[in-house]
mmCIF file of all heavy atoms in Angstrom:
data_model
loop_
_atom_site.group_PDB
_atom_site.id
_atom_site.type_symbol
_atom_site.label_atom_id
_atom_site.label_comp_id
_atom_site.label_asym_id
_atom_site.label_seq_id
_atom_site.Cartn_x
_atom_site.Cartn_y
_atom_site.Cartn_z
ATOM 1 N N LYS B 177 55.700 112.159 164.712
ATOM 2 C CA LYS B 177 56.012 111.296 163.579
ATOM 3 C C LYS B 177 55.005 111.467 162.446
ATOM 4 O O LYS B 177 55.030 110.737 161.468
ATOM 5 C CB LYS B 177 56.063 109.824 164.028
ATOM 6 C CG LYS B 177 57.305 109.474 164.831
ATOM 7 C CD LYS B 177 57.438 107.973 165.027
ATOM 8 C CE LYS B 177 58.746 107.608 165.720
ATOM 9 N NZ LYS B 177 58.760 107.929 167.149
ATOM 10 N N LEU B 178 54.116 112.438 162.582
ATOM 11 C CA LEU B 178 53.087 112.613 161.568
ATOM 12 C C LEU B 178 53.550 113.522 160.425
ATOM 13 O O LEU B 178 53.139 113.360 159.283
ATOM 14 C CB LEU B 178 51.816 113.184 162.217
ATOM 15 C CG LEU B 178 50.508 113.035 161.443
ATOM 16 C CD1 LEU B 178 50.300 111.625 160.946
ATOM 17 C CD2 LEU B 178 49.335 113.453 162.313
ATOM 18 N N HIS B 179 54.426 114.475 160.748
ATOM 19 C CA HIS B 179 55.014 115.374 159.757
ATOM 20 C C HIS B 179 53.975 115.980 158.823
ATOM 21 O O HIS B 179 54.071 115.871 157.598
ATOM 22 C CB HIS B 179 56.086 114.647 158.943
ATOM 23 C CG HIS B 179 57.154 114.063 159.801
ATOM 24 N ND1 HIS B 179 57.965 113.045 159.393
ATOM 25 C CD2 HIS B 179 57.558 114.355 161.064
ATOM 26 C CE1 HIS B 179 58.807 112.721 160.355
ATOM 27 N NE2 HIS B 179 58.585 113.499 161.385
ATOM 28 N N LEU B 180 52.979 116.592 159.433
ATOM 29 C CA LEU B 180 51.932 117.252 158.663
ATOM 30 C C LEU B 180 52.411 118.568 158.076
ATOM 31 O O LEU B 180 53.093 119.335 158.743
ATOM 32 C CB LEU B 180 50.740 117.561 159.578
ATOM 33 C CG LEU B 180 49.683 116.503 159.800
ATOM 34 C CD1 LEU B 180 48.580 117.064 160.684
ATOM 35 C CD2 LEU B 180 49.107 116.033 158.473
ATOM 36 N N PRO B 181 52.056 118.840 156.809
ATOM 37 C CA PRO B 181 52.315 120.190 156.287
ATOM 38 C C PRO B 181 51.510 121.210 157.103
ATOM 39 O O PRO B 181 50.453 120.889 157.646
ATOM 40 C CB PRO B 181 51.805 120.109 154.852
ATOM 41 C CG PRO B 181 50.994 118.853 154.765
ATOM 42 C CD PRO B 181 51.476 117.954 155.824
ATOM 43 N N ASP B 182 52.054 122.433 157.181
ATOM 44 C CA ASP B 182 51.459 123.448 158.062
ATOM 45 C C ASP B 182 49.982 123.710 157.799
ATOM 46 O O ASP B 182 49.225 124.041 158.709
ATOM 47 C CB ASP B 182 52.233 124.777 157.921
ATOM 48 C CG ASP B 182 53.633 124.647 158.489
ATOM 49 O OD1 ASP B 182 53.847 123.708 159.285
ATOM 50 O OD2 ASP B 182 54.496 125.467 158.142
ATOM 51 N N GLU B 183 49.563 123.583 156.546
ATOM 52 C CA GLU B 183 48.174 123.943 156.227
ATOM 53 C C GLU B 183 47.166 122.882 156.684
ATOM 54 O O GLU B 183 45.964 123.112 156.610
ATOM 55 C CB GLU B 183 48.012 124.232 154.722
ATOM 56 C CG GLU B 183 48.016 123.014 153.808
ATOM 57 C CD GLU B 183 49.392 122.743 153.190
ATOM 58 O OE1 GLU B 183 50.402 123.117 153.831
ATOM 59 O OE2 GLU B 183 49.446 122.164 152.096
ATOM 60 N N ILE B 184 47.650 121.746 157.151
ATOM 61 C CA ILE B 184 46.722 120.711 157.604
ATOM 62 C C ILE B 184 46.762 120.566 159.130
ATOM 63 O O ILE B 184 47.819 120.356 159.717
ATOM 64 C CB ILE B 184 47.031 119.350 156.949
ATOM 65 C CG1 ILE B 184 46.891 119.448 155.426
ATOM 66 C CG2 ILE B 184 46.099 118.271 157.486
ATOM 67 C CD1 ILE B 184 47.266 118.168 154.693
ATOM 68 N N GLN B 185 45.600 120.682 159.755
ATOM 69 C CA GLN B 185 45.482 120.539 161.204
ATOM 70 C C GLN B 185 45.186 119.082 161.564
ATOM 71 O O GLN B 185 44.551 118.384 160.783
ATOM 72 C CB GLN B 185 44.320 121.409 161.714
ATOM 73 C CG GLN B 185 44.512 122.887 161.525
ATOM 74 C CD GLN B 185 44.980 123.552 162.808
ATOM 75 O OE1 GLN B 185 45.021 122.912 163.859
ATOM 76 N NE2 GLN B 185 45.307 124.819 162.739
ATOM 77 N N VAL B 186 45.637 118.667 162.738
ATOM 78 C CA VAL B 186 45.324 117.300 163.181
ATOM 79 C C VAL B 186 43.821 117.105 163.244
ATOM 80 O O VAL B 186 43.311 116.052 162.880
ATOM 81 C CB VAL B 186 45.848 117.001 164.600
ATOM 82 C CG1 VAL B 186 46.297 115.573 164.708
ATOM 83 C CG2 VAL B 186 46.881 117.964 165.035
ATOM 84 N N GLN B 187 43.145 118.128 163.749
ATOM 85 C CA GLN B 187 41.691 118.036 163.896
ATOM 86 C C GLN B 187 41.001 117.708 162.573
ATOM 87 O O GLN B 187 40.092 116.879 162.530
ATOM 88 C CB GLN B 187 41.112 119.347 164.449
ATOM 89 C CG GLN B 187 41.320 119.554 165.933
ATOM 90 C CD GLN B 187 42.683 120.183 166.246
ATOM 91 O OE1 GLN B 187 43.505 120.327 165.344
ATOM 92 N NE2 GLN B 187 42.923 120.528 167.501
ATOM 93 N N SER B 188 41.443 118.359 161.489
ATOM 94 C CA SER B 188 40.789 118.094 160.210
ATOM 95 C C SER B 188 41.165 116.711 159.688
ATOM 96 O O SER B 188 40.388 116.092 158.954
ATOM 97 C CB SER B 188 41.118 119.176 159.180
ATOM 98 O OG SER B 188 42.419 119.640 159.313
ATOM 99 N N LEU B 189 42.321 116.227 160.091
ATOM 100 C CA LEU B 189 42.722 114.877 159.699
ATOM 101 C C LEU B 189 41.799 113.857 160.360
ATOM 102 O O LEU B 189 41.329 112.911 159.722
ATOM 103 C CB LEU B 189 44.175 114.629 160.127
ATOM 104 C CG LEU B 189 44.920 113.551 159.352
ATOM 105 C CD1 LEU B 189 45.062 113.949 157.903
ATOM 106 C CD2 LEU B 189 46.285 113.292 159.953
ATOM 107 N N VAL B 190 41.538 114.075 161.635
ATOM 108 C CA VAL B 190 40.636 113.199 162.380
ATOM 109 C C VAL B 190 39.237 113.256 161.773
ATOM 110 O O VAL B 190 38.591 112.229 161.551
ATOM 111 C CB VAL B 190 40.583 113.597 163.868
ATOM 112 C CG1 VAL B 190 39.485 112.842 164.596
ATOM 113 C CG2 VAL B 190 41.926 113.344 164.533
ATOM 114 N N GLU B 191 38.797 114.466 161.496
ATOM 115 C CA GLU B 191 37.464 114.641 160.907
ATOM 116 C C GLU B 191 37.371 113.905 159.578
ATOM 117 O O GLU B 191 36.392 113.225 159.292
ATOM 118 C CB GLU B 191 37.191 116.136 160.703
ATOM 119 C CG GLU B 191 35.727 116.439 160.432
ATOM 120 C CD GLU B 191 35.548 117.880 159.957
ATOM 121 O OE1 GLU B 191 36.294 118.765 160.433
ATOM 122 O OE2 GLU B 191 34.674 118.095 159.091
ATOM 123 N N ASP B 192 38.425 114.049 158.791
ATOM 124 C CA ASP B 192 38.489 113.390 157.491
ATOM 125 C C ASP B 192 38.390 111.876 157.632
ATOM 126 O O ASP B 192 37.623 111.229 156.921
ATOM 127 C CB ASP B 192 39.811 113.771 156.805
ATOM 128 C CG ASP B 192 40.017 113.040 155.502
ATOM 129 O OD1 ASP B 192 39.456 113.477 154.494
ATOM 130 O OD2 ASP B 192 40.739 112.010 155.508
ATOM 131 N N LEU B 193 39.150 111.331 158.564
ATOM 132 C CA LEU B 193 39.141 109.878 158.773
ATOM 133 C C LEU B 193 37.749 109.396 159.151
ATOM 134 O O LEU B 193 37.217 108.453 158.558
ATOM 135 C CB LEU B 193 40.138 109.484 159.868
ATOM 136 C CG LEU B 193 40.199 107.984 160.175
ATOM 137 C CD1 LEU B 193 40.902 107.235 159.064
ATOM 138 C CD2 LEU B 193 40.895 107.712 161.507
ATOM 139 N N VAL B 194 37.165 110.042 160.131
ATOM 140 C CA VAL B 194 35.854 109.608 160.629
ATOM 141 C C VAL B 194 34.776 109.750 159.556
ATOM 142 O O VAL B 194 34.013 108.810 159.304
ATOM 143 C CB VAL B 194 35.459 110.389 161.897
ATOM 144 C CG1 VAL B 194 34.055 110.000 162.358
ATOM 145 C CG2 VAL B 194 36.469 110.142 163.008
ATOM 146 N N SER B 195 34.729 110.918 158.895
ATOM 147 C CA SER B 195 33.652 111.137 157.922
ATOM 148 C C SER B 195 33.812 110.223 156.714
ATOM 149 O O SER B 195 32.836 109.701 156.180
ATOM 150 C CB SER B 195 33.582 112.606 157.501
ATOM 151 O OG SER B 195 34.737 112.963 156.783
ATOM 152 N N ASN B 196 35.033 110.009 156.282
ATOM 153 C CA ASN B 196 35.245 109.100 155.159
ATOM 154 C C ASN B 196 34.897 107.669 155.528
ATOM 155 O O ASN B 196 34.293 106.950 154.741
ATOM 156 C CB ASN B 196 36.691 109.168 154.659
ATOM 157 C CG ASN B 196 36.869 110.229 153.608
ATOM 158 O OD1 ASN B 196 36.468 110.064 152.470
ATOM 159 N ND2 ASN B 196 37.431 111.361 154.002
ATOM 160 N N TYR B 197 35.305 107.276 156.725
ATOM 161 C CA TYR B 197 35.000 105.907 157.158
ATOM 162 C C TYR B 197 33.503 105.680 157.222
ATOM 163 O O TYR B 197 32.986 104.658 156.799
ATOM 164 C CB TYR B 197 35.636 105.630 158.514
ATOM 165 C CG TYR B 197 35.404 104.219 158.985
ATOM 166 C CD1 TYR B 197 36.269 103.198 158.619
ATOM 167 C CD2 TYR B 197 34.304 103.896 159.766
ATOM 168 C CE1 TYR B 197 36.059 101.888 159.029
ATOM 169 C CE2 TYR B 197 34.074 102.588 160.188
ATOM 170 C CZ TYR B 197 34.958 101.599 159.816
ATOM 171 O OH TYR B 197 34.731 100.309 160.214
#
Side-chain angles (χ1 to χ4, degrees):
Chain B
K177 286 191 175 74
L178 199 49
H179 303 159
L180 274 183
D182 292 341
E183 75 263 28
I184 299 176
Q185 296 260 352
V186 215
Q187 283 85 353
S188 36
L189 203 64
V190 171
E191 194 192 325
D192 175 82
L193 179 73
V194 176
S195 66
N196 271 285
Y197 182 87

